[in-house]
């Protein structure tokens, strides 16, 4: 892939678009010889979610047993291999940036590094997988490099993968079609611009898990939630599953999402979240840029 990407950049006429998508670190998580041992002794993160059951859990995760010592060792070995396998992705990013510099495109090219999902290993007593609505599975890094973008700057506003199309379109001097749901991130990336005091940035992001992985699929896991739709705000994670169950986590008071407070949260908050959630599920195009800016009652 690195060779093909380099050949494309070296021969492309500007403007050009390149998407480099790797299978790594999906199972079997191959490790390049140069990266063997690069994460020796690494463990699955021992944050508060590790081997911890959710309080007031949804039915699919009721009765999850603690992780046994032997399984913990297997999960740590799995984590180490994925980490070393992922070094090849970092190598690919380095190779692309080096090729851009060599061809003179490093000053006029936008580079976006992100992922389509997170991955849990041991969180919530779940062994490994990516199908939950929790932050560990659905919130991913987004790193953007390019002209007009300040190095090391952290942007607090919420972004969505639906923003990739409008952002790339604007970078290439084109307009995204009206049916696109997302927003261009350029007003947030370029400090010389503003999205305007009269224009609110989004207050919520929708995520959906609609399929079911089968045995043999690299995403297959023995214990997985049913299909669901979830809405994330700065303060709340609100989930509705196909079973009719609902979950609510306070991301400020409970940043690791360990306490489902759907039964005790103020009714006006739950109703407002459900209303915005319903609008985001039903929206399309410009209406999504209205539905995602609603304010919750204080």
């Amino acid at each position: 892939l690195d060779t093909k990407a380099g050949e494309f950049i070296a021969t492309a006429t500007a403007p050009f678009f390149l998407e480099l998508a790797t299978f790594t670190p999906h199972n079997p998580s191959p490790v390049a010889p140069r990266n063997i041992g690069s994460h020796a002794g690494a463990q699955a993160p021992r944050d508060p979610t590790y081997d911890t059951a959710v309080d007031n859990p949804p039915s699919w995760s009721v009765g999850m047993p603690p992780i046994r010592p032997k399984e913990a060792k297997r999960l740590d070995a799995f984590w180490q291999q994925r980490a070393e396998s992922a070094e090849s992705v970092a190598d690919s990013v380095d190779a692309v940036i080096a090729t851009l510099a060599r061809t003179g495109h490093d000053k006029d090219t936008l580079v976006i590094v992100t992922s389509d999902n997170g991955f849990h290993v041991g969180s919530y007593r779940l062994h490994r997988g990516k199908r939950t609505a929790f932050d560990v599975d659905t919130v991913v890094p987004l790193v953007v490099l390019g002209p007009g973008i300040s190095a090391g700057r952290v942007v607090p506003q919420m972004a969505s993968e639906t923003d990739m199309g409008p952002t790339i379109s604007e970078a290439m001097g084109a307009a995204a079609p009206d049916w696109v749901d997302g927003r261009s991130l350029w007003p947030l990336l370029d400090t010389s611009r503003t999205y305007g005091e009269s224009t609110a940035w989004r207050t919520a992001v929708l995520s959906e898990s609609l399929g079911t992985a089968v045995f043999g699929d690299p995403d297959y896991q023995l214990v997985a939630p049913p299909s669901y739709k979830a809405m994330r705000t700065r303060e709340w994670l609100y989930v509705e599953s196909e079973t009719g169950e609902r979950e609510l986590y306070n991301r400020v008071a409970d940043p690791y999402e360990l306490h489902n407070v759907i039964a005790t949260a103020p009714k006006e908050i739950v109703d407002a979240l459900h209303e915005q959630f319903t609008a985001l599920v039903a929206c399309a195009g410009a209406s999504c840029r209205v539905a995602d800016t609603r304010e919750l009652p204080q």
Side-chain angles (χ1 to χ4, degrees):
L1 285 178
D2 294 353
T3 300
K4 290 183 178 180
E7 292 174 349
F8 175 83
I9 294 171
T11 58
T13 56
F16 63 83
F17 172 79
L18 168 67
E19 179 180 358
L20 180 58
T22 72
F23 186 79
T24 299
H26 283 90
N27 285 343
S29 304
V31 179
R34 63 184 177 277
N35 294 322
I36 293 174
S38 58
H39 289 267
Q43 292 183 318
R46 294 320 199 252
D47 64 30
T49 68
Y50 184 82
D51 196 22
T52 304
V54 172
D55 178 38
N56 187 26
S59 59
W60 65 269
S61 65
V62 170
M64 291 292 297
I67 296 174
R68 295 173 297 177
K70 287 185 178 180
E71 184 59 31
K73 289 182 179 180
R74 284 194 289 267
L75 291 178
D76 288 340
F78 174 78
W79 179 270
Q80 178 183 329
Q81 180 160 346
R82 281 180 62 90
E84 293 181 354
S85 180
E87 287 292 337
S88 293
V89 181
D91 293 341
S92 293
V93 173
D94 290 342
V96 166
I97 292 175
T99 302
L100 290 172
R102 187 171 63 253
T103 57
H105 286 298
D106 55 320
K107 300 297 190 297
D108 62 9
T109 302
L110 182 70
V111 178
I112 300 174
V113 183
T114 189
S115 176
D116 57 344
N117 59 265
F119 201 86
H120 62 258
V121 179
S123 295
Y124 309 102
R125 293 186 174 172
L126 301 170
H127 287 188
R128 55 194 190 189
K130 64 178 187 181
R131 302 184 66 82
T132 76
F134 296 120
D135 280 14
V136 68
D137 286 354
T138 54
V139 177
V140 299
L142 172 62
V143 180
V144 184
L145 311 171
I149 300 175
S150 301
R153 180 166 168 260
V154 177
V155 178
Q157 287 88 347
M158 288 188 290
S160 167
E161 288 191 349
T162 59
D163 298 334
M164 293 299 100
T167 302
I168 294 169
S169 295
E170 183 172 354
M172 300 186 74
D178 292 339
W179 50 261
V180 171
D181 296 348
R183 304 163 174 266
S184 172
L185 297 175
W186 272 105
L188 305 181
L189 300 175
D190 188 345
T191 55
S192 68
R193 303 171 55 188
T194 176
Y195 56 86
E197 294 180 0
S198 63
T199 304
W201 194 254
R202 67 162 56 91
T203 59
V205 172
L206 184 73
S207 59
E208 300 173 292
S209 177
L210 304 180
T212 302
V214 298
F215 185 76
D217 188 299
D219 295 330
Y220 177 76
Q221 57 197 81
L222 288 174
V223 179
S227 296
Y228 65 82
K229 296 180 176 67
M231 185 180 74
R232 181 171 284 94
T233 73
R234 296 294 294 273
E235 185 175 1
W236 301 100
L237 170 60
Y238 176 80
V239 186
E240 292 191 7
S241 73
E242 65 177 1
T243 63
E245 292 179 282
R246 297 194 298 175
E247 300 165 64
L248 182 63
Y249 303 89
N250 188 319
R251 302 179 67 229
V252 176
D254 175 29
Y256 290 98
E257 301 164 344
L258 291 167
H259 306 285
N260 177 14
V261 296
I262 190 68
T264 58
K267 183 177 184 301
E268 61 270 22
I269 293 292
V270 177
D271 289 348
L273 286 166
H274 174 73
E275 184 178 348
Q276 185 174 18
F277 167 86
T278 301
L280 280 171
V281 170
C283 75
S287 65
C288 290
R289 292 181 285 278
V290 175
D292 71 3
T293 58
R294 297 189 182 192
E295 294 291 341
L296 293 177
Q298 299 298 314

